[in-house]
Amino acid sequence: MIKHIRIKNNSTVSLWDIPLLNYEDLLEQSISLLQDESCHCVNYFGYPHRDQLILICCIANDREHLITISSSVINFNSVLPSFTHHHLAFHLFEREIHENFGIKYSDHPWLKPVRYPFSRADKNSRIENYPFYAIESEEVHEVGVGPIHAGIIEPGHFRFICDGEQILHLEIQLGYQHRGTEQLFLKKNNLLQRTHFAESIAGDTVAGHTTAFVNLWESLCNYDAEDHLQFSRTLALELERIAIHTGDLSALCTDIAYQLGSAVFGRLRTPVINYFQRWCGNRLGKGLIRAGKNNYPFTKQLGDPLKRLFDEYERDFIEMYDEFKTLPSVLARLEKTGTVTKEQAASIGTVGMAAKMSGIPRDIRVSHPHDWYERMNHEPVIKHYGDVYSRTQIRKEEILQSIEIIRNMIKSIPPENKKRKELSFPAPDLFGISLVEGWRGEICHCAITGENGNLVHYKVKDPSFHNWLALALAVRNNEISDFPVCNKSFNLSYCGHDL
Amino acid sequence: MIDNIKILLRQGKQYIPDVTHAKVPGIFRGRPVISKETIDENALVELCPTEAITGSPVCIDLGRCAFCGECAFAFPDKIKFTTDYKISTNERERLITKDGEDKTIELNPDIIRTEISKYFSGSIKLRQVSAGGDNSCELELNACGNVNFDMGRYGIEFVASPRHSDGIVITGPITENMAVPLQICYDAIPEPKIIILAGTDAISGGIFDGSPALNRNFLTMHKIDLFVPGNPVHPLTFITGILELIRKR
Ligand code: SF4
């Protein structure tokens, strides 16, 4: 009964070629696809069309490097059996469909608000009245943290249920950062404005989200980005990974009060982001990635200083990390803290570091390669304990790996094509999908064009969308004082989730 | 221990000795300079993604500008971005650069409240609130305290509790969902207190201006003491802006 169409990353399909199933068949098919360990759902969302809602489900097969697309049409007043009842990885997608469009589910175990978007179906649902899970007992107490936190960090509310110092349950309530980003992609119809939205989805993942956007946009316009553009995007992605991972190691040291590590890793991030500024005038890479062009071509004059930067960085980084990892007081805080098992990670569909830490080899650079990754034999860094230390080790190893990737890349820099062809406009009635492995993990953007080629739907998924629940599971049975280090070890995005 | 000393020696001194006269590396986009060159003004105004440019005469509003540099690429003889990072000011109009002018952006001393110099010139503690910020300004504000910029040496620090702070630093376009928490946080700060808007999103809404998911009423109710433009703000812009604001007068 398999009814779907399979496409590659960064390709498009005519809307009319996406098989339309009845809802029960879509459910059965999606659940059965996920029986295969190499499949996971990369996006599942509703798109209102005429008086009905089209559900589009995208399941990636990592082994076969293909993405399965199928759809179903339902009425807005539907009460449906949920996918989540059969597979937890769908829980947030269905909560989102419920929140945005008012679709009811008969057997969803946790049908709570996601982000309180301005366009939500139920305007009576308000962020100050989030229905937290509670335990009636004299023995436990609740601790509420946020939305505003102690440091300079985005807002979100954490509600702990504790037995003494031990966390029994954590519920994370988000939505404070909701800026209406997906809707603005449609409202402002100039390409530069849309690129700005992509750059602002998460300002710590500028290269990640902007690459997803421009790759998707170019595929809608049937435009093949030349080598030079692909090269620059890939380089920016790896540079961003190095910068943010380094900053995260510094922050982890801060949270365990290891001053030397905090200072040295913190200062090691500086030359990397300053390099971005040297390349494109902005320390976080804003302004660099553009569809169909590149305002800041990467040249040999840029390659040589980067090589020298890495030689110095690597020496200092390894020296610091070697010291850090031999300190018993460091290891005592990181090892066996905030553990997520492989079964848990697989069941909730984590991505990126939050998958790789528990032995799940999920990395778009291998499974659905794009840009320069198609020319590499990338090997993801995999750990197995799922604890804070695994996430720390992944960062360290990925940093060194990314340096090698860049060193190899800049050995031969593809020249810029000064006579590149002009970007045209998106073709009508298309569905497109783009996957990128950002430093946090898998980013997915989907777009639908209408009959004039105008954008009629834009869907963004940050890796944090899947991974926040992993943090909530990680802290169970840990001391509440270990929460900061657990949180930092995931370093998830609030604005990327809230959009 | 010996290893620690080795690392310390190797790292040496990392701080920027004088933040007011630093040279930013590379092609940083700071204060723009607009020439008198005649160009197709409509095309220039149209091009800007955040409506930061207005015509006759050509002006760029740094409170709206996202510093993407696209205008300077399209009209290189008309607009140039300099590496002048001292672009903070306390008067909204001073963020507007006009064509033919090449003057530095300064604070207007006449409108600095007297309490600021009296209470805060030796040290100031700030509470940061991200209200829809995309985590880029937040990263840069964190960087202000790192060993390179070391804002703490001037007595400027971010603190955890509004009760311990002398003011609030807002990032992000201020979402509807953060409007109430922002107000609660502000109310919890003891008087006298200041408000700083950090980044284009906070100053004008930036690219998000006009989004139905925002609620910027807070800003109409209070006087803003410092505008720090940037997308994100550069740590040097932030630090030098505050130093100017709290300077003994
Ligand atoms: S640099 Fe500023 S003024 Fe120029 S186009 Fe970009 S946002 Fe507009």
Side-chain angles (χ1 to χ4, degrees), chain A residues 176-177 203-204 267 270 277 296, chain B residues 11 25 29 132 134 148 175:
Chain A
Y176 295 96
Q177 294 286 73
D204 52 29
R267 95 106 191 118
T270 306
Q277 180 172 296
Y296 305 97
Chain B
Q11 295 301 319
R29 284 185 289 282
D134 71 1
N148 303 107
T175 57

Side-chain angles (χ1 to χ4, degrees), chain A residues 40-53:
Chain A
H40 71 289
C41 180
V42 292
N43 230 332
Y44 174 42
F45 60 92
Y47 155 55
H49 186 59
R50 308 235 158 87
D51 293 332
Q52 290 185 302
L53 190 68

Side-chain angles (χ1 to χ4, degrees), chain A residues 363-433:
Chain A
D363 191 322
I364 298 299
R365 291 175 289 179
V366 191
S367 54
H368 304 275
H370 54 89
D371 296 301
W372 225 246
Y373 299 117
E374 289 190 49
R375 310 171 189 223
M376 297 177 199
N377 275 326
H378 181 71
E379 292 249 354
V381 176
I382 308 292
K383 298 288 160 192
H384 297 277
Y385 294 112
D387 56 359
V388 174
Y389 194 48
S390 298
R391 296 187 282 279
T392 309
Q393 288 174 306
I394 290 179
R395 287 189 170 86
K396 176 238 175 181
E397 289 176 33
E398 285 199 342
I399 287 171
L400 297 178
Q401 189 183 46
S402 296
I403 290 179
E404 270 324 293
I405 290 176
I406 295 182
R407 277 195 180 128
N408 281 326
M409 284 178 71
I410 57 181
K411 277 185 196 148
S412 58
I413 303 167
E416 205 202 353
N417 177 5
K418 293 245 165 50
K419 287 194 220 89
R420 65 170 71 99
K421 83 173 201 251
E422 284 272 316
L423 192 65
S424 59
F425 295 96
D429 295 325
L430 282 186
F431 168 85
I433 184 166

